[in-house]
Amino acid sequence: MAKKTLNVGLVGYGFMGRTHSNAYLQAPRFFDLPYQPVLKAVCARNADRAKGFAENWGYQSIETDWRALVQRSDIDLIDIASPNDTHAEIAIAASQAGKMILCEKPLGRTAEEGKAMADAVAASKSPNMVWYNYRRVPALMLLKDLLAEGRFGRIFHYRSQFLQDWTISQDLPQGGEGLWRLDSSVAGSGVTGDLLAHNIDMALWLNGSLTEVAAMTETFIKERKHSLTNTMQPVTIDDASSFIGRFQNGSTAMFEATRYARGHKALFTLEINGEQASARWDLHDLHRLEYFDHRDESRLRGWKSIHITDGDHPYMKHWWVPGLQIGYEHTFIHQVADFLTAVGENREAAPTFKDGLAVDYVTDAVLRSAKTKQWESIPLA
């Protein structure tokens, strides 16, 4: 039987637009899905660049105004891959137009924006999802399963880092296309909302809600030239952000993110320590899960490296033969597959906008604590 088509309207043609487009093309080739995604239209302010992107990826048409895209009757799903300051307005309009919505992270620049978005999709009952793609790493899906099986016992500690080094040069400008992440009016914050949000979402998914945090942020270069005005302006984002915290289950938290860790391009790591077992993971070796179980025979007790490639590991039966690995782009393919499967079964697929709002509450509390120099509590989404 022919599958029902699902017409995608993408807003944005940058790095994330490419990862999403590839996912829509590849997901139905490897997964048995109830829908066939169709790349119907891409929207960007620059018509020539939008046309080039459309030709390269196979989009059938272009728009230069996202409002026109949202109102098109031939669009079923709006995918928001544009800068953070556009997320709320587009998502709310798309929900009111009855579209399915996928939105890049963070959900909103603030929890206030995120709540408006979550409320909008709740009112319209629009299927929705946030692109926290690292949840779909097979090794981390396996870790989620092991935690759910109770193998760790009581959890004591959760720690995580995300380290980069690309903004160290004081000659790097801020703002404009390509560097909007350095402009707080567009991004909302610096590494807290950009990098640390990934660590936080992963922690909430694996270990439950955070209840309070105590944070510190730092901006190392205080002024940068703005690429749009060519004038020196104060830097208002955070270059580094770290916090300690407590989870609802009683475990403690340690988080750090920075763009000033020379030698690191995307070092995302996490470790969980429980009463009976521990596990750690590194994005640079994403197909491996390091695991320690204290219940092993004492002579053989030690850390083991589990190579996540077998058919009984999460997602891997859809790919190659055991021993052959997959990569970063596959996490987006998995997310599209899970979303379309859930829509076909009339259920939600996490992380939903409500889950994204939970992350926004934490990032708001982190930034607030860095200013007040006090512990800050976190509301539940």
Side-chain angles (χ1 to χ4, degrees):
M1 294 178 62
K3 295 182 180 180
K4 183 178 179 180
T5 60
L6 190 142
N7 294 334
V8 176
L10 173 70
V11 185
Y13 58 81
F15 170 52
M16 287 296 102
R18 291 158 53 200
T19 62
H20 298 187
S21 299
N22 180 67
Y24 293 121
L25 292 173
Q26 298 300 334
R29 294 170 175 157
F30 291 91
F31 292 79
D32 183 15
L33 303 176
Y35 294 93
Q36 176 65 44
V38 175
L39 303 186
K40 201 68 175 180
V42 59
C43 179
R45 286 171 291 187
N46 187 307
D48 289 338
R49 292 186 183 180
K51 182 178 179 182
F53 186 92
E55 291 174 351
N56 185 61
W57 288 98
Y59 284 88
Q60 297 176 7
S61 62
I62 70 165
E63 296 285 355
T64 56
D65 185 344
W66 64 262
R67 296 169 183 82
L69 181 70
V70 166
Q71 293 303 318
R72 280 178 51 166
S73 59
D74 62 343
I75 298 294
D76 302 307
L77 183 152
I78 296 292
D79 187 341
I80 306 169
S82 47
N84 300 350
D85 62 334
T86 67
H87 290 187
E89 190 176 10
I90 298 174
I92 292 170
S95 65
Q96 292 171 345
K99 310 297 185 184
M100 303 177 192
I101 310 163
L102 271 67
C103 183
E104 255 306 323
K105 47 65 57 183
L107 184 62
R109 289 176 295 179
T110 63
E112 182 180 8
E113 282 189 351
K115 187 175 189 309
M117 298 166 72
D119 288 347
V121 296
S124 65
K125 294 182 172 52
S126 300
N128 59 90
M129 203 176 204
V130 187
W131 287 97
Y132 281 112
N133 61 293
Y134 294 115
R135 289 193 184 196
R136 263 65 189 189
V137 174
L140 294 178
M141 290 291 289
L142 176 60
L143 175 55
K144 174 70 171 176
D145 290 343
L146 297 177
L147 287 162
E149 292 167 8
R151 291 173 181 259
F152 287 71
R154 179 184 175 187
I155 303 300
F156 297 127
H157 300 291
Y158 188 106
R159 64 186 64 85
S160 187
Q161 290 182 314
F162 209 135
L163 311 181
Q164 295 183 340
D165 70 355
W166 67 277
T167 64
I168 290 179
S169 173
Q170 62 182 1
D171 297 325
L172 185 72
Q174 61 179 320
E177 185 175 350
L179 293 171
W180 57 265
R181 287 178 176 82
L182 276 66
D183 187 336
S184 64
S185 66
V186 179
S189 66
V191 296
T192 302
D194 186 31
L195 303 182
L196 208 55
H198 276 301
N199 305 71
I200 293 166
D201 175 72
M202 186 62 62
L204 301 185
W205 180 55
L206 292 174
N207 198 40
S209 300
L210 280 159
T211 59
E212 57 181 347
V213 297
M216 174 180 64
T217 62
E218 184 58 62
T219 301
F220 295 108
I221 296 177
K222 309 302 183 184
E223 286 189 331
R224 291 185 185 272
K225 183 177 290 185
H226 200 287
S227 62
L228 298 181
T229 65
N230 206 37
T231 60
M232 295 297 292
Q233 296 184 12
V235 175
T236 55
I237 62 160
D238 45 292
D239 293 324
S241 180
S242 57
F243 72 89
I244 58 175
R246 294 186 179 91
F247 287 92
Q248 196 170 41
N249 64 9
S251 59
T252 66
M254 293 184 66
F255 288 79
E256 178 191 18
T258 181
R259 297 188 182 126
Y260 279 69
R262 180 63 81 191
H264 292 296
K265 305 304 177 184
L267 182 68
F268 178 13
T269 62
L270 65 85
E271 181 167 340
I272 302 178
N273 305 124
E275 182 180 8
Q276 298 294 342
S278 291
R280 61 192 179 206
W281 173 84
D282 181 344
L283 176 60
H284 288 172
D285 202 9
L286 61 78
H287 56 282
R288 290 190 181 275
L289 182 68
E290 303 292 329
Y291 181 72
F292 177 93
D293 196 321
H294 185 69
R295 289 159 296 196
D296 290 343
E297 181 187 346
S298 61
R299 295 179 305 154
L300 302 176
R301 186 183 298 141
W303 283 90
K304 62 182 68 174
S305 178
I306 307 171
H307 194 209
I308 313 297
T309 66
D310 283 343
D312 56 354
H313 287 141
Y315 297 111
M316 294 309 300
K317 67 181 180 181
H318 297 278
W319 297 105
W320 322 122
V321 297
L324 300 184
Q325 300 163 192
I326 60 175
Y328 171 77
E329 71 274 16
H330 296 83
T331 63
F332 295 91
I333 297 169
H334 296 161
Q335 189 152 1
V336 166
D338 287 349
F339 179 78
L340 296 181
T341 299
V343 170
E345 297 173 357
N346 196 31
R347 58 176 175 83
E348 291 184 336
T352 64
F353 277 23
K354 185 177 180 181
D355 298 319
L357 174 58
V359 178
D360 288 352
Y361 279 137
V362 178
T363 55
D364 270 17
V366 167
L367 295 170
R368 191 166 61 248
S369 174
K371 290 181 179 179
T372 64
K373 302 186 186 304
Q374 296 178 345
W375 281 87
E376 296 287 343
S377 61
I378 302 165
L380 297 177

PDB file of all heavy atoms in Angstrom, residues 102-130:
ATOM      1  N   LEU A 102       8.194  20.707  14.443  1.00  0.00           N
ATOM      2  CA  LEU A 102       9.473  20.308  15.003  1.00  0.00           C
ATOM      3  C   LEU A 102      10.310  21.573  15.146  1.00  0.00           C
ATOM      4  O   LEU A 102      10.372  22.374  14.218  1.00  0.00           O
ATOM      5  CB  LEU A 102      10.196  19.296  14.117  1.00  0.00           C
ATOM      6  CG  LEU A 102       9.871  17.823  14.380  1.00  0.00           C
ATOM      7  CD1 LEU A 102       8.425  17.521  14.012  1.00  0.00           C
ATOM      8  CD2 LEU A 102      10.808  16.906  13.613  1.00  0.00           C
ATOM      9  N   CYS A 103      10.939  21.757  16.310  1.00  0.00           N
ATOM     10  CA  CYS A 103      11.658  22.997  16.594  1.00  0.00           C
ATOM     11  C   CYS A 103      13.053  22.696  17.104  1.00  0.00           C
ATOM     12  O   CYS A 103      13.231  21.843  17.966  1.00  0.00           O
ATOM     13  CB  CYS A 103      10.884  23.834  17.622  1.00  0.00           C
ATOM     14  SG  CYS A 103      11.632  25.438  17.987  1.00  0.00           S
ATOM     15  N   GLU A 104      14.028  23.424  16.586  1.00  0.00           N
ATOM     16  CA  GLU A 104      15.390  23.302  17.091  1.00  0.00           C
ATOM     17  C   GLU A 104      15.454  23.746  18.550  1.00  0.00           C
ATOM     18  O   GLU A 104      14.615  24.485  19.028  1.00  0.00           O
ATOM     19  CB  GLU A 104      16.372  24.129  16.252  1.00  0.00           C
ATOM     20  CG  GLU A 104      17.242  23.310  15.327  1.00  0.00           C
ATOM     21  CD  GLU A 104      18.004  22.193  16.032  1.00  0.00           C
ATOM     22  OE1 GLU A 104      18.457  22.380  17.184  1.00  0.00           O
ATOM     23  OE2 GLU A 104      18.137  21.122  15.434  1.00  0.00           O
ATOM     24  N   LYS A 105      16.483  23.278  19.231  1.00  0.00           N
ATOM     25  CA  LYS A 105      16.699  23.653  20.626  1.00  0.00           C
ATOM     26  C   LYS A 105      17.533  24.931  20.684  1.00  0.00           C
ATOM     27  O   LYS A 105      18.255  25.236  19.727  1.00  0.00           O
ATOM     28  CB  LYS A 105      17.340  22.528  21.419  1.00  0.00           C
ATOM     29  CG  LYS A 105      18.547  21.849  20.778  1.00  0.00           C
ATOM     30  CD  LYS A 105      19.785  22.624  20.559  1.00  0.00           C
ATOM     31  CE  LYS A 105      20.371  23.243  21.806  1.00  0.00           C
ATOM     32  NZ  LYS A 105      21.580  24.069  21.455  1.00  0.00           N
ATOM     33  N   PRO A 106      17.478  25.680  21.790  1.00  0.00           N
ATOM     34  CA  PRO A 106      16.512  25.531  22.871  1.00  0.00           C
ATOM     35  C   PRO A 106      15.119  25.919  22.398  1.00  0.00           C
ATOM     36  O   PRO A 106      14.975  26.640  21.401  1.00  0.00           O
ATOM     37  CB  PRO A 106      17.026  26.503  23.931  1.00  0.00           C
ATOM     38  CG  PRO A 106      17.679  27.588  23.129  1.00  0.00           C
ATOM     39  CD  PRO A 106      18.320  26.876  21.971  1.00  0.00           C
ATOM     40  N   LEU A 107      14.089  25.461  23.105  1.00  0.00           N
ATOM     41  CA  LEU A 107      12.728  25.749  22.684  1.00  0.00           C
ATOM     42  C   LEU A 107      12.510  27.247  22.580  1.00  0.00           C
ATOM     43  O   LEU A 107      12.151  27.759  21.513  1.00  0.00           O
ATOM     44  CB  LEU A 107      11.730  25.135  23.664  1.00  0.00           C
ATOM     45  CG  LEU A 107      10.251  25.278  23.287  1.00  0.00           C
ATOM     46  CD1 LEU A 107       9.951  24.565  21.980  1.00  0.00           C
ATOM     47  CD2 LEU A 107       9.367  24.752  24.406  1.00  0.00           C
ATOM     48  N   GLY A 108      12.728  27.985  23.672  1.00  0.00           N
ATOM     49  CA  GLY A 108      12.619  29.440  23.670  1.00  0.00           C
ATOM     50  C   GLY A 108      13.886  30.066  24.197  1.00  0.00           C
ATOM     51  O   GLY A 108      14.708  29.404  24.819  1.00  0.00           O
ATOM     52  N   ARG A 109      14.042  31.367  23.949  1.00  0.00           N
ATOM     53  CA  ARG A 109      15.192  32.065  24.520  1.00  0.00           C
ATOM     54  C   ARG A 109      15.083  32.134  26.037  1.00  0.00           C
ATOM     55  O   ARG A 109      16.093  32.219  26.743  1.00  0.00           O
ATOM     56  CB  ARG A 109      15.287  33.476  23.950  1.00  0.00           C
ATOM     57  CG  ARG A 109      15.720  33.545  22.500  1.00  0.00           C
ATOM     58  CD  ARG A 109      15.693  34.974  21.993  1.00  0.00           C
ATOM     59  NE  ARG A 109      14.329  35.516  21.972  1.00  0.00           N
ATOM     60  CZ  ARG A 109      14.022  36.745  21.587  1.00  0.00           C
ATOM     61  NH1 ARG A 109      14.989  37.587  21.218  1.00  0.00           N
ATOM     62  NH2 ARG A 109      12.768  37.146  21.581  1.00  0.00           N
ATOM     63  N   THR A 110      13.860  32.100  26.529  1.00  0.00           N
ATOM     64  CA  THR A 110      13.575  32.111  27.965  1.00  0.00           C
ATOM     65  C   THR A 110      12.457  31.115  28.231  1.00  0.00           C
ATOM     66  O   THR A 110      11.756  30.671  27.305  1.00  0.00           O
ATOM     67  CB  THR A 110      13.124  33.501  28.430  1.00  0.00           C
ATOM     68  OG1 THR A 110      11.892  33.831  27.762  1.00  0.00           O
ATOM     69  CG2 THR A 110      14.169  34.565  28.107  1.00  0.00           C
ATOM     70  N   ALA A 111      12.243  30.801  29.504  1.00  0.00           N
ATOM     71  CA  ALA A 111      11.134  29.919  29.860  1.00  0.00           C
ATOM     72  C   ALA A 111       9.795  30.575  29.545  1.00  0.00           C
ATOM     73  O   ALA A 111       8.822  29.882  29.234  1.00  0.00           O
ATOM     74  CB  ALA A 111      11.219  29.545  31.338  1.00  0.00           C
ATOM     75  N   GLU A 112       9.728  31.903  29.613  1.00  0.00           N
ATOM     76  CA  GLU A 112       8.485  32.595  29.274  1.00  0.00           C
ATOM     77  C   GLU A 112       8.105  32.328  27.824  1.00  0.00           C
ATOM     78  O   GLU A 112       6.945  32.042  27.515  1.00  0.00           O
ATOM     79  CB  GLU A 112       8.641  34.096  29.515  1.00  0.00           C
ATOM     80  CG  GLU A 112       7.379  34.899  29.231  1.00  0.00           C
ATOM     81  CD  GLU A 112       7.547  36.386  29.480  1.00  0.00           C
ATOM     82  OE1 GLU A 112       8.689  36.835  29.730  1.00  0.00           O
ATOM     83  OE2 GLU A 112       6.538  37.110  29.428  1.00  0.00           O
ATOM     84  N   GLU A 113       9.090  32.419  26.921  1.00  0.00           N
ATOM     85  CA  GLU A 113       8.816  32.094  25.520  1.00  0.00           C
ATOM     86  C   GLU A 113       8.475  30.618  25.362  1.00  0.00           C
ATOM     87  O   GLU A 113       7.543  30.253  24.628  1.00  0.00           O
ATOM     88  CB  GLU A 113      10.033  32.432  24.652  1.00  0.00           C
ATOM     89  CG  GLU A 113      10.197  33.893  24.333  1.00  0.00           C
ATOM     90  CD  GLU A 113      11.282  34.146  23.299  1.00  0.00           C
ATOM     91  OE1 GLU A 113      12.024  33.197  22.941  1.00  0.00           O
ATOM     92  OE2 GLU A 113      11.394  35.299  22.838  1.00  0.00           O
ATOM     93  N   GLY A 114       9.225  29.767  26.035  1.00  0.00           N
ATOM     94  CA  GLY A 114       8.974  28.342  25.931  1.00  0.00           C
ATOM     95  C   GLY A 114       7.593  27.953  26.418  1.00  0.00           C
ATOM     96  O   GLY A 114       6.931  27.089  25.820  1.00  0.00           O
ATOM     97  N   LYS A 115       7.132  28.586  27.483  1.00  0.00           N
ATOM     98  CA  LYS A 115       5.805  28.283  28.009  1.00  0.00           C
ATOM     99  C   LYS A 115       4.721  28.701  27.022  1.00  0.00           C
ATOM    100  O   LYS A 115       3.717  27.986  26.836  1.00  0.00           O
ATOM    101  CB  LYS A 115       5.569  28.954  29.349  1.00  0.00           C
ATOM    102  CG  LYS A 115       4.243  28.527  30.014  1.00  0.00           C
ATOM    103  CD  LYS A 115       4.082  29.094  31.392  1.00  0.00           C
ATOM    104  CE  LYS A 115       2.870  28.482  32.112  1.00  0.00           C
ATOM    105  NZ  LYS A 115       1.630  28.535  31.309  1.00  0.00           N
ATOM    106  N   ALA A 116       4.899  29.851  26.378  1.00  0.00           N
ATOM    107  CA  ALA A 116       3.919  30.285  25.377  1.00  0.00           C
ATOM    108  C   ALA A 116       3.844  29.278  24.232  1.00  0.00           C
ATOM    109  O   ALA A 116       2.752  28.989  23.712  1.00  0.00           O
ATOM    110  CB  ALA A 116       4.289  31.670  24.854  1.00  0.00           C
ATOM    111  N   MET A 117       4.981  28.728  23.857  1.00  0.00           N
ATOM    112  CA  MET A 117       5.007  27.727  22.786  1.00  0.00           C
ATOM    113  C   MET A 117       4.360  26.424  23.235  1.00  0.00           C
ATOM    114  O   MET A 117       3.572  25.819  22.496  1.00  0.00           O
ATOM    115  CB  MET A 117       6.454  27.486  22.356  1.00  0.00           C
ATOM    116  CG  MET A 117       7.152  28.707  21.791  1.00  0.00           C
ATOM    117  SD  MET A 117       8.952  28.509  21.666  1.00  0.00           S
ATOM    118  CE  MET A 117       9.076  27.339  20.302  1.00  0.00           C
ATOM    119  N   ALA A 118       4.687  25.977  24.442  1.00  0.00           N
ATOM    120  CA  ALA A 118       4.107  24.740  24.963  1.00  0.00           C
ATOM    121  C   ALA A 118       2.597  24.873  25.144  1.00  0.00           C
ATOM    122  O   ALA A 118       1.833  23.938  24.859  1.00  0.00           O
ATOM    123  CB  ALA A 118       4.773  24.351  26.283  1.00  0.00           C
ATOM    124  N   ASP A 119       2.156  26.039  25.611  1.00  0.00           N
ATOM    125  CA  ASP A 119       0.720  26.274  25.782  1.00  0.00           C
ATOM    126  C   ASP A 119       0.003  26.266  24.438  1.00  0.00           C
ATOM    127  O   ASP A 119      -1.128  25.772  24.318  1.00  0.00           O
ATOM    128  CB  ASP A 119       0.483  27.609  26.488  1.00  0.00           C
ATOM    129  CG  ASP A 119       0.855  27.577  27.963  1.00  0.00           C
ATOM    130  OD1 ASP A 119       1.053  26.464  28.500  1.00  0.00           O
ATOM    131  OD2 ASP A 119       0.934  28.658  28.572  1.00  0.00           O
ATOM    132  N   ALA A 120       0.660  26.817  23.415  1.00  0.00           N
ATOM    133  CA  ALA A 120       0.038  26.895  22.086  1.00  0.00           C
ATOM    134  C   ALA A 120      -0.194  25.513  21.487  1.00  0.00           C
ATOM    135  O   ALA A 120      -1.272  25.226  20.947  1.00  0.00           O
ATOM    136  CB  ALA A 120       0.906  27.743  21.151  1.00  0.00           C
ATOM    137  N   VAL A 121       0.806  24.629  21.579  1.00  0.00           N
ATOM    138  CA  VAL A 121       0.622  23.292  20.999  1.00  0.00           C
ATOM    139  C   VAL A 121      -0.328  22.452  21.838  1.00  0.00           C
ATOM    140  O   VAL A 121      -1.024  21.577  21.311  1.00  0.00           O
ATOM    141  CB  VAL A 121       1.974  22.570  20.804  1.00  0.00           C
ATOM    142  CG1 VAL A 121       2.844  23.309  19.793  1.00  0.00           C
ATOM    143  CG2 VAL A 121       2.720  22.386  22.122  1.00  0.00           C
ATOM    144  N   ALA A 122      -0.372  22.728  23.147  1.00  0.00           N
ATOM    145  CA  ALA A 122      -1.331  22.009  23.993  1.00  0.00           C
ATOM    146  C   ALA A 122      -2.756  22.390  23.616  1.00  0.00           C
ATOM    147  O   ALA A 122      -3.654  21.532  23.575  1.00  0.00           O
ATOM    148  CB  ALA A 122      -1.067  22.322  25.461  1.00  0.00           C
ATOM    149  N   ALA A 123      -2.983  23.683  23.329  1.00  0.00           N
ATOM    150  CA  ALA A 123      -4.319  24.151  22.962  1.00  0.00           C
ATOM    151  C   ALA A 123      -4.748  23.628  21.598  1.00  0.00           C
ATOM    152  O   ALA A 123      -5.906  23.270  21.394  1.00  0.00           O
ATOM    153  CB  ALA A 123      -4.348  25.678  22.981  1.00  0.00           C
ATOM    154  N   SER A 124      -3.815  23.575  20.659  1.00  0.00           N
ATOM    155  CA  SER A 124      -4.148  23.145  19.291  1.00  0.00           C
ATOM    156  C   SER A 124      -4.050  21.640  19.115  1.00  0.00           C
ATOM    157  O   SER A 124      -4.499  21.102  18.108  1.00  0.00           O
ATOM    158  CB  SER A 124      -3.207  23.818  18.295  1.00  0.00           C
ATOM    159  OG  SER A 124      -1.870  23.374  18.484  1.00  0.00           O
ATOM    160  N   LYS A 125      -3.414  20.960  20.089  1.00  0.00           N
ATOM    161  CA  LYS A 125      -3.157  19.519  20.012  1.00  0.00           C
ATOM    162  C   LYS A 125      -2.277  19.157  18.810  1.00  0.00           C
ATOM    163  O   LYS A 125      -2.391  18.071  18.234  1.00  0.00           O
ATOM    164  CB  LYS A 125      -4.464  18.719  19.996  1.00  0.00           C
ATOM    165  CG  LYS A 125      -5.252  18.830  21.293  1.00  0.00           C
ATOM    166  CD  LYS A 125      -6.512  17.989  21.252  1.00  0.00           C
ATOM    167  CE  LYS A 125      -7.208  17.931  22.613  1.00  0.00           C
ATOM    168  NZ  LYS A 125      -7.462  19.234  23.229  1.00  0.00           N
ATOM    169  N   SER A 126      -1.415  20.093  18.425  1.00  0.00           N
ATOM    170  CA  SER A 126      -0.507  19.864  17.306  1.00  0.00           C
ATOM    171  C   SER A 126       0.618  18.910  17.718  1.00  0.00           C
ATOM    172  O   SER A 126       1.269  19.136  18.740  1.00  0.00           O
ATOM    173  CB  SER A 126       0.121  21.183  16.851  1.00  0.00           C
ATOM    174  OG  SER A 126      -0.861  22.098  16.437  1.00  0.00           O
ATOM    175  N   PRO A 127       0.865  17.854  16.967  1.00  0.00           N
ATOM    176  CA  PRO A 127       2.027  17.007  17.251  1.00  0.00           C
ATOM    177  C   PRO A 127       3.291  17.854  17.228  1.00  0.00           C
ATOM    178  O   PRO A 127       3.473  18.694  16.333  1.00  0.00           O
ATOM    179  CB  PRO A 127       2.010  15.990  16.105  1.00  0.00           C
ATOM    180  CG  PRO A 127       0.565  15.928  15.677  1.00  0.00           C
ATOM    181  CD  PRO A 127       0.061  17.330  15.830  1.00  0.00           C
ATOM    182  N   ASN A 128       4.162  17.663  18.205  1.00  0.00           N
ATOM    183  CA  ASN A 128       5.320  18.542  18.338  1.00  0.00           C
ATOM    184  C   ASN A 128       6.510  17.798  18.893  1.00  0.00           C
ATOM    185  O   ASN A 128       6.370  16.770  19.559  1.00  0.00           O
ATOM    186  CB  ASN A 128       4.965  19.729  19.241  1.00  0.00           C
ATOM    187  CG  ASN A 128       4.533  19.296  20.625  1.00  0.00           C
ATOM    188  OD1 ASN A 128       5.346  19.154  21.542  1.00  0.00           O
ATOM    189  ND2 ASN A 128       3.223  19.044  20.803  1.00  0.00           N
ATOM    190  N   MET A 129       7.689  18.344  18.632  1.00  0.00           N
ATOM    191  CA  MET A 129       8.927  17.737  19.108  1.00  0.00           C
ATOM    192  C   MET A 129      10.039  18.775  19.074  1.00  0.00           C
ATOM    193  O   MET A 129      10.019  19.679  18.238  1.00  0.00           O
ATOM    194  CB  MET A 129       9.301  16.547  18.218  1.00  0.00           C
ATOM    195  CG  MET A 129      10.195  15.515  18.863  1.00  0.00           C
ATOM    196  SD  MET A 129      10.471  14.108  17.733  1.00  0.00           S
ATOM    197  CE  MET A 129      10.882  12.829  18.903  1.00  0.00           C
ATOM    198  N   VAL A 130      11.008  18.657  19.982  1.00  0.00           N
ATOM    199  CA  VAL A 130      12.187  19.519  20.007  1.00  0.00           C
ATOM    200  C   VAL A 130      13.390  18.682  19.585  1.00  0.00           C
ATOM    201  O   VAL A 130      13.537  17.529  19.993  1.00  0.00           O
ATOM    202  CB  VAL A 130      12.417  20.113  21.413  1.00  0.00           C
ATOM    203  CG1 VAL A 130      13.536  21.140  21.379  1.00  0.00           C
ATOM    204  CG2 VAL A 130      11.141  20.741  21.950  1.00  0.00           C
TER     205      VAL A 130
END
